[in-house]
Amino acid sequence: MTRDLAGSVAIVGVAESDEIGVVPGKSSLMHHAEAGYNALADAGLSVKDVDGLFTAGFSTLATAEYMGIKPKYSDSTSIGGSSFLVHVEHAMAAINAGMCEVALITHGETGRSRRGARPPADASTPGPQFEIPYGINGAPINYAVACSRYMHQYGEDRTRQAMAEIAVSTRKWAQMNPKALMRDPMSFDDYHNSRWIAWPFHLLDCCLVTDAGAAVVVTSAARARSLPKKPVWVLGTGEHHDHALMSQMEDLTVHPAKVAAERAFGMADMKPADIDLTMLYDSFTYTVLMCLESLGYCGPGEGPDFVKNQRTAPGGEFALNTSGGGLSYTHPGMYGIFLIVEAVRQLRGECGERNVNPKTALANGSGGSLSSSGVLILGVD
């Protein structure tokens, strides 16, 4: 994306599905549709206005049919939890190319209610051949490998304390969000005493598994100015992925966000110090730590000092994951779209007691095994 596209589109509607958390009576498709209708209502639009449809990990054909949409532009790019931020970039390109004018991005997943036996892995793909036989199987294990390397390089004790800081501060934000699943207080002792999942991860290092959906509406600058709510301008975008298998990750302490952020900041003509609110995909506490460094908020190995003393908690000087994040708010399987929902609401001043009154926000999605990144820089007039 080039600098001249900055501010050419705006996010004009965001919403979750009607119920999120533990919702055993609804399908993934129902969450897609409810969130989509709710986001369009938030924007002052209807399905009749939608001519571009974006989903990840789910059929755009099924979503369009179920919602009564007949799009002239469709995109099902799926690179994990960062996909929805990438969809905003793709919607920007499509809108500026005249391929569509109103883009609806939806997601819905019954991650909690469909828990059970996993389908067999496709033996023709590399993972089942080269990683799964050796125990590298599943997100907690994969991410634990990367976190262990970070601890080796930068110190186990200081890394552990940083992860605790992130878990505790994020829960404090969740306590201010009525939609968050986990709102009970969390102390540092609670964190350290929680059961082990895959060393070095305790239970409270790991994201939730919930049922939920969310949707985002993107449109042209001209259309945005005619709608009832304050437009949230897309000032910068970037995407990048560099591996699929954990064993092929070049540096286990550096996230693909490093490349994506350079592009996004370049497009926006901004730097990390210009950002008022930061929303990071917190699949694990370690993901947050490494992304703070990879995005340029601090240098390699400096993350533990950056987050110490509850700097990212309510009342701290660095607003981070104000919804309660994937750790305490919701996480149906792919979380990235919820980063956008919170950032937009914060920029519009709709978050009640947890609002931090930002003028700019950065959202970074992470997908796969620390494999992909989508970075958005957003702002309001």
Side-chain angles (χ1 to χ4, degrees):
M1 288 294 183
T2 60
R3 178 76 184 91
D4 60 342
L5 292 182
S8 63
V9 301
I11 297 172
V12 294
V14 295
E16 298 104 333
S17 48
D18 293 346
E19 301 169 273
I20 66 172
V22 182
V23 192
K26 292 183 178 178
S27 67
S28 295
L29 186 54
M30 292 173 74
H31 285 292
H32 272 270
E34 287 179 359
Y37 291 135
N38 292 342
L40 287 166
D42 184 58
L45 297 167
S46 75
V47 292
K48 294 179 181 178
D49 297 297
V50 177
D51 55 2
L53 182 63
F54 300 70
T55 69
F58 203 82
S59 169
T60 51
L61 291 173
T63 306
E65 182 177 64
Y66 190 77
M67 293 188 66
I69 298 170
K70 296 181 179 179
K72 62 183 184 182
Y73 188 88
S74 184
D75 186 334
S76 55
T77 298
S78 187
I79 52 172
S82 65
S83 301
F84 313 100
L85 296 96
V86 170
H87 287 166
V88 174
E89 178 174 271
H90 292 188
M92 172 184 278
I95 291 167
N96 278 279
M99 303 298 289
C100 64
E101 186 183 21
V102 176
L104 176 65
I105 304 167
T106 70
H107 181 53
E109 227 175 327
T110 53
R112 178 78 171 226
S113 296
R114 64 171 164 73
R115 284 186 303 166
R118 296 178 63 185
D122 182 352
S124 68
T125 57
Q129 299 178 60
F130 303 114
E131 286 196 345
I132 291 177
Y134 301 97
I136 308 302
N137 183 19
I141 298 168
N142 292 5
Y143 282 63
V145 170
C147 185
S148 298
R149 179 62 193 183
Y150 187 96
M151 285 184 165
H152 172 74
Q153 286 186 204
Y154 299 118
E156 181 178 336
D157 289 345
R158 62 193 298 269
T159 304
R160 169 67 63 201
Q161 182 57 30
M163 291 158 63
E165 295 278 0
I166 290 165
V168 171
S169 64
T170 306
R171 179 63 62 85
K172 289 177 180 177
W173 285 114
Q175 290 181 276
M176 302 166 73
N177 183 356
K179 294 186 178 183
L181 181 66
M182 302 299 288
R183 301 184 67 202
D184 292 337
M186 181 200 300
S187 68
F188 284 103
D189 285 342
D190 292 332
Y191 166 84
H192 290 292
N193 293 330
S194 63
R195 63 185 174 90
W196 292 107
I197 300 300
W199 193 92
F201 291 148
H202 288 284
L203 175 67
L204 296 178
D205 286 304
C206 306
C207 68
L208 305 172
V209 181
T210 65
D211 305 318
V216 172
V217 182
V218 184
T219 192
S220 64
R223 187 72 174 267
R225 291 190 179 94
S226 71
L227 296 174
K229 287 198 172 182
K230 179 191 298 185
V232 173
W233 303 107
V234 180
L235 304 178
T237 68
E239 63 177 276
H240 184 59
H241 57 87
D242 58 11
H243 68 279
L245 298 182
M246 202 75 214
S247 58
Q248 303 307 303
M249 188 172 181
E250 184 174 339
D251 186 334
L252 294 168
T253 69
V254 179
H255 195 273
K258 180 176 176 62
V259 174
E262 289 171 356
R263 295 173 179 169
F265 280 120
M267 181 178 173
D269 193 23
M270 296 170 67
K271 55 188 181 299
D274 297 320
I275 302 299
D276 299 326
L277 167 68
T278 301
M279 297 296 301
L280 303 183
Y281 196 131
D282 49 345
S283 47
F284 298 89
T285 51
Y286 173 63
T287 315
V288 176
L289 186 63
M290 73 182 306
C291 285
L292 286 169
E293 297 178 6
S294 297
L295 290 162
Y297 288 106
C298 55
E302 295 177 357
D305 293 329
F306 188 85
V307 301
K308 69 181 182 181
N309 299 323
Q310 291 292 276
R311 186 183 184 210
T312 64
E317 58 188 73
F318 188 86
L320 176 70
N321 290 348
T322 54
S323 64
L327 293 172
S328 289
Y329 156 52
T330 198
H331 188 290
M334 291 193 289
Y335 174 69
I337 197 166
F338 296 91
L339 301 167
I340 306 171
V341 172
E342 176 72 6
V344 169
R345 286 177 173 160
Q346 284 279 354
L347 289 163
R348 298 195 307 201
E350 298 174 346
C351 291
E353 64 171 332
R354 72 178 188 278
N355 223 94
V356 297
N357 301 311
K359 291 295 184 183
T360 58
L362 180 146
N364 172 53
S366 180
S369 298
L370 301 170
S371 307
S372 68
S373 172
V375 175
L376 298 179
I377 298 175
L378 308 174
V380 289
D381 295 330

